[in-house]
Structure formats: C-alpha cells, structure tokens
Amino acid sequence: MTTTYGSFPGTRPRRLRTTPVMRRMVAETRLHPADFILPAFVREGVREPVPIAAMPGVVQHTRDSLKKAAAEAVAAGISGIMLFGVPEEEKKDAVGTPGTDPDGILQVALRDVRAEVGDDLLVMSDLCLDETTDHGHCGVLDDQGRVDNDATLERYAEMAQVQADAGAHVVGPSGMMDGQIGVVRDALDQIGREDVAILAYTAKYSSAFYGPFREAVGSSLKGDRRTYQQDPANFRESMRELALDLEEGADMVMVKPAGPYLDILARVADAVDVPVAAYQISGEYSMVEAAAEKGWVDRERAILETLTGIRRAGARNILTYWAVEAARLLR
C-alpha cells in the first residue's frame, strides 16, 4: 500500500475545535460576571412586584424586592445595577418634577440600594426625564411642543445633583441632549461630587426595539424621539457624538441598542481609551424570550451567544436583563 504525505488539506483549523477543553483554551472572547450591569425598574406605590408582560421574567420592583435583587446581584458577582424609577402617574408633569424631588421614587430607591449593598455593587442611575414627564419625552417642551435642549440641560443638572446626593456611584445621562455631559459634570463638581462617574449614552439610536421598555417604565410618550435620538442609518454622527462626550468629561461611553449596532460598537471601541459599554435593550431580550417560549431557540445558548457577540464587538461592560442569570450560567 502506498502512503501519500502532504495531501490536501495540510492546514486543519478543526484541530482546535475537537473537545470542549480545546475550545475553551483557544477562545478569543470570554464572558465574566463582572462584565454585566443589571437594569432594574422600581415602581412607586406597589406592594408586590409587577410583572412586565412584554418582558417575561422582568418586573417593576417594590422598594423591598429591589433591595433583594441588588443583594442577588452582589452574590452573582456582577458589577452594577442601573436604576429606573417609575413614579405614580398623577405625579408626572411637564417638567418631570419627580426626577428632581429628593423624595422621588428613583432617589428613594438609590438610597435604599446603597444602604443595602454599600460599595459592593456600583449603583447607577438613569438620568433622564422620560419616566417622569406627562408627555413622555426626555426633556422639557417649548411652546411649540418641541424638546427644548437648553431648558432640559438645566433639569439634568439638578437631577445629577439629587441623584448623587441619594447615593449614585454613576449617573447615566440618556436623553441625547447636546451638551448634556459637560453640564452634568459641572453640576456634580459644583457640589463637590467629583467622585461620581458619568456613563455617557453616546450613541443612542431611535430604535424600534425599545417597545417593551415603554411598558416597563409606564411611558406617557406621544409622538417619537427622532429629533434627539440618532438616525439608525448614520455612523459618522456617532463618532461626532463620541468626540463631544469625551471632550465634555465622560468617564465611560455606551452604544444603545447593542445587537443591531455591533458595527458601531466595534468602531467606538477601537477609537477610545475609556471603558465602552453596550445596552442589550428590551426588544433584544423579548425576542429571545418569545422565540424560546415557542421552542424555536435554545434559550440559554441564545443568551450567552448574544452576550458573547456584544463582548466580542468591543463592549467592556454589558447592560442586560439577563445579568444575574448569565452570571450564574457562567459560574
């Protein structure tokens, strides 16, 4: 019998996929619980957690159940929790007064969580007016019903200060107002809170995938947010926003949504030397949950695969509603 050496193919990449241990050893991207931040909703005036129909497994927390969720996040080893407050409907008004009321639900929740976990978990706060305004927009409206950028910045400055006083380690200005990072940084520094970091929602796109979130925060939105959130068609605009946010003092930057904008995330991550985050938003979560409920996808594999893709694209940290569950799966 004649043996032929050097037969094609000589290079066989499959050798590095032969066993689980081999695949683990050569993996280029690894997920870790410390990568994750848990977005969480707390609703004023409820005695039991309220399930969010469009987001199976996610709830609007009571103050007590939020503290338990924060303790679970610490035990799971994740890095942070991003809080969204849902005030009682009758307290909403045109300027989002609950957002600057020291006794507003978000500020109360920040104090609760800091008392519960101290510095064992980064306590982050959404800095935006949309949950607290009766019109549902992220800013103050002018007499023609348009979002007034500069009047909104004044509200953001006050929000930053009350959130810092309530215990936020990190504030997340998410309204996409021009100049918001600089104004928030100045407002924090003026009250001696140079220690409070800013996670800038640098590239926040006007997306169809926010739908379930609107239920989660009891949104009163009329119209849309296309005059201030970014056009999904644009890339250069994101890089311009990135340069401005860094110049104004952002400590971390973020791309939102994550999955449909991995190309933007990769370009941002390549361009900066500050931590980059991405937000796996409600619609991304709900699509996987719905498909899994139908038996169309392997739920746990899909969760970890979507998160790996976001991490591979360049996100140092990922805001995801699966944060605690994913951490447990990894462990």
Side-chain angles (χ1 to χ4, degrees):
M1 183 178 70
T2 301
T3 302
T4 302
Y5 296 98
S7 60
F8 182 83
T11 300
R12 296 180 182 269
R14 286 183 57 190
R15 295 186 188 111
L16 301 183
R17 305 170 196 155
T18 53
T19 69
V21 173
M22 176 67 81
R23 294 191 294 273
R24 184 181 67 191
M25 184 183 76
V26 301
E28 299 172 31
T29 303
R30 299 184 192 277
L31 291 172
H32 188 278
D35 298 338
F36 303 139
I37 297 164
L38 175 68
F41 308 101
V42 57
R43 179 172 169 179
E44 188 172 25
V46 295
R47 296 184 177 181
E48 299 291 337
V50 179
I52 300 168
M55 300 177 68
V58 180
V59 301
Q60 294 172 325
H61 284 286
T62 67
R63 290 174 60 185
D64 285 340
S65 70
L66 179 64
K67 289 188 287 186
K68 293 177 183 177
E72 289 176 355
V74 173
I78 73 171
S79 289
I81 186 168
M82 174 67 79
L83 300 185
F84 297 84
V86 184
E88 294 177 322
E89 193 67 27
E90 60 270 20
K91 294 184 179 179
K92 296 180 181 181
D93 59 22
V95 297
T97 297
T100 50
D101 180 355
D103 294 320
I105 183 59
L106 180 54
Q107 287 68 251
V108 169
L110 286 166
R111 290 194 292 270
D112 285 344
V113 174
R114 276 302 299 271
E116 183 72 20
V117 301
D119 293 330
D120 292 337
L121 187 71
L122 285 176
V123 180
M124 305 179 173
S125 55
D126 178 59
L127 201 165
C128 194
L129 289 170
D130 60 322
E131 296 106 59
T132 59
T133 53
D134 55 12
H135 48 72
H137 278 286
C138 297
V140 178
L141 303 184
D142 64 18
D143 56 8
Q144 297 182 52
R146 303 170 301 187
V147 175
D148 185 325
N149 192 93
D150 295 359
T152 299
L153 294 181
E154 294 182 16
R155 299 290 294 135
Y156 285 3
E158 189 176 353
M159 290 182 76
Q161 292 176 341
V162 298
Q163 290 178 1
D165 285 343
H169 293 103
V170 180
V171 295
S174 61
M176 291 300 292
M177 296 297 120
D178 294 339
Q180 64 183 14
I181 302 304
V183 165
V184 167
R185 184 71 271 161
D186 285 348
L188 291 169
D189 292 352
Q190 284 175 17
I191 62 169
R193 296 309 308 270
E194 297 87 354
D195 58 321
V196 175
I198 298 176
L199 170 59
Y201 284 60
T202 292
K204 183 178 181 182
Y205 284 88
S206 181
S207 172
F209 294 99
Y210 295 131
F213 181 89
R214 306 270 164 81
E215 178 189 344
V217 297
S219 175
S220 305
L221 180 65
K222 302 173 181 66
D224 59 52
R225 299 184 172 122
R226 295 180 183 179
T227 64
Y228 46 101
Q229 293 178 353
Q230 289 181 237
D231 185 338
N234 292 350
F235 159 69
R236 291 185 183 88
E237 186 177 24
S238 289
M239 302 310 287
R240 186 182 186 195
E241 293 278 6
L242 175 64
L244 290 168
D245 282 355
L246 293 174
E247 182 181 345
E248 292 173 24
D251 299 289
M252 300 170 277
V253 297
M254 184 159 68
V255 174
K256 180 182 181 181
Y261 298 90
L262 294 181
D263 59 326
I264 309 298
L265 174 59
R267 296 289 288 273
V268 168
D270 285 344
V272 301
D273 56 5
V274 299
V276 176
Y279 197 145
Q280 185 181 54
I281 67 170
S282 59
E284 298 176 74
Y285 172 92
S286 296
M287 285 192 299
V288 171
E289 290 289 345
E293 191 275 330
K294 293 285 190 180
W296 293 341
V297 298
D298 181 322
R299 180 178 175 277
E300 291 184 356
R301 284 188 62 192
I303 290 170
L304 294 180
E305 185 174 340
T306 59
L307 294 172
T308 298
I310 297 166
R311 183 74 178 85
R312 187 184 62 244
R316 173 68 272 173
N317 297 106
I318 305 170
L319 283 79
T320 174
Y321 300 98
W322 289 307
V324 171
E325 181 178 0
R328 290 169 177 165
L329 290 173
L330 292 172
R331 289 181 183 275

